[in-house]
Amino acid sequence: MRDKVVVCAYHNVGYRCLEELLRQGADVRLVFSHEDSPGEEIWFQSVRALAARHGIPCLTSSINAPENRAMIAELAPDFLLSFYYRNMISPEVLALAGRGALNMHGSYLPRYRGRVPVNWAVIKGERATGATLHYMVEKPDAGEIVDQQQVEIAFEDTAFDVFNKVTEAAVTVLRRSWPQLVAGTAARIPMDLKAGNYCGGRKPEDGRIDWSLSALEIYNLVRGVTHPYPGAFTTLAGKKLLVWQAFPVEGTGEPGRVLSAQPLLVGTGSGLLELRRLQLEGAAELCAADFVQATPCDGALFT
């Protein structure tokens, strides 16, 4: 008899990993996912639609709800697998998986434990990250590692670019690891938490640009929260100004002061930042040349 599996999944990582499990013939009995948030740009594939196509029941209520915990206990799954599921899963639910509960995390653990690891890795200027399959314990992203795959972060990659790389790495890890988990031969490597770090979630207001930082640090913020994320922003004449694309260049200038309109260069704490795509609150997104034509800003101060 095949091992019974309960899957918690959302977003592209959830979709692709569930798809890979089904491709390998896993006996997925139940899926937990999320309702899409009306305030979020939905650019990713639907786990619920995938489950429906395969006739698998899919619930969007919390897996920790008493009625769901009772349902899982009755099902008595061998494995509980989490792929980009946004809720912490209680220890009581984790204990219901006879052969183990595992999570696919979007970083090369133990680095960037916690929330939005791809965005944080780009914002912090990392040159690599990855995907890690690990056992779940009460503490987040802290259980034994089964397998992981590293990916490169190129200097011009946005968080979206890196997320796509991490998604592919997650599928690669699961493709290797699932047969080993079923066979009972998968690795269980203790995680050295002291060698890593933990990051919390981010809110749209965390995208405010601090012009006293270096051009490189601001550039990393811009590419770490650009489309499809909420974007980095500053203020121009009392209006919110989103910066969707930028690039660091050499030079000096007062932090936040526009030094040139063609190209659009702004001073920072170290170096200059060339702004390439912008969007004034309530207006359309424009390339820098069109923006300065519509909104003269030479000598202006961004705050």
Side-chain angles (χ1 to χ4, degrees):
M1 182 180 291
R2 292 183 299 167
D3 290 308
K4 292 178 290 184
V5 184
V6 171
V7 172
C8 304
Y10 190 61
H11 221 284
N12 281 352
V13 171
Y15 184 100
R16 292 289 306 283
C17 286
L18 176 57
E19 188 177 53
E20 176 60 23
L21 279 177
L22 296 172
R23 188 192 69 78
Q24 293 201 35
D27 185 10
V28 179
R29 297 291 185 91
L30 181 61
V31 172
F32 287 90
S33 192
H34 301 290
E35 297 287 343
D36 294 332
S37 171
E40 182 175 0
E41 184 177 344
I42 307 302
W43 52 272
F44 41 85
Q45 294 171 295
S46 170
V47 167
R48 286 188 292 167
L50 178 60
R53 286 199 298 274
H54 288 268
I56 303 168
C58 182
L59 302 176
T60 55
S61 52
S62 172
I63 191 173
N64 300 313
E67 63 273 20
N68 290 336
R69 190 167 67 239
M71 185 189 310
I72 296 168
E74 184 177 353
L75 181 61
D78 297 283
F79 290 99
L80 173 65
L81 301 175
S82 175
F83 308 124
Y84 218 81
Y85 188 65
R86 291 178 171 179
N87 296 343
M88 285 291 294
I89 303 174
S90 71
E92 293 78 13
V93 173
L94 297 179
L96 297 174
R99 300 189 63 191
L102 299 100
N103 174 59
M104 185 72 73
H105 186 69
S107 79
Y108 201 78
L109 290 174
R111 297 283 291 159
Y112 294 95
R113 295 169 52 239
R115 301 288 186 177
V116 293
V118 169
N119 302 81
W120 275 119
V122 176
I123 291 167
K124 294 296 184 181
E126 300 290 352
R127 305 302 298 271
T129 187
T132 303
L133 184 65
H134 66 95
Y135 283 89
M136 285 187 280
V137 293
E138 185 171 2
K139 193 170 187 176
D141 309 321
E144 296 165 307
I145 292 172
V146 172
D147 192 10
Q148 55 190 165
Q149 178 80 27
Q150 193 171 78
V151 299
E152 176 194 7
I153 301 177
F155 186 69
E156 295 192 29
D157 277 348
T158 67
F160 178 73
D161 297 325
V162 179
F163 188 87
N164 289 336
K165 293 180 183 182
V166 168
T167 300
E168 295 302 324
V171 175
T172 297
V173 167
L174 186 62
R175 185 174 297 138
R176 285 195 302 245
S177 301
W178 180 243
Q180 297 173 355
L181 287 166
V182 171
T185 59
R188 298 189 68 140
I189 304 165
M191 198 181 307
D192 180 7
L193 298 185
K194 293 179 181 177
N197 62 316
Y198 183 88
C199 292
R202 292 185 61 83
K203 304 178 292 297
E205 54 265 33
D206 294 330
R208 178 176 287 279
I209 295 170
D210 179 355
W211 293 101
S212 70
L213 298 177
S214 71
L216 178 59
E217 288 172 300
I218 299 171
Y219 166 69
N220 288 336
L221 172 65
V222 170
R223 67 193 183 108
V225 297
T226 192
H227 298 304
Y229 303 102
F233 67 93
T234 187
T235 303
L236 175 62
K239 286 190 175 182
K240 182 177 181 180
L241 176 67
L242 287 154
V243 179
W244 292 113
Q245 187 180 38
F247 201 80
V249 297
E250 293 183 357
T252 58
E254 178 189 352
R257 183 71 68 185
V258 176
L259 304 177
S260 162
Q262 296 286 354
L264 183 51
L265 298 176
V266 184
T268 73
S270 176
L272 303 178
L273 191 70
E274 180 187 344
L275 308 187
R276 294 181 172 179
R277 295 198 65 83
L278 308 97
Q279 184 177 10
L280 201 59
E281 187 174 24
E285 180 180 338
L286 299 170
C287 68
D290 290 341
F291 177 82
V292 297
Q293 187 172 7
T295 310
C297 55
D298 204 356
L301 182 66
F302 293 140
T303 58

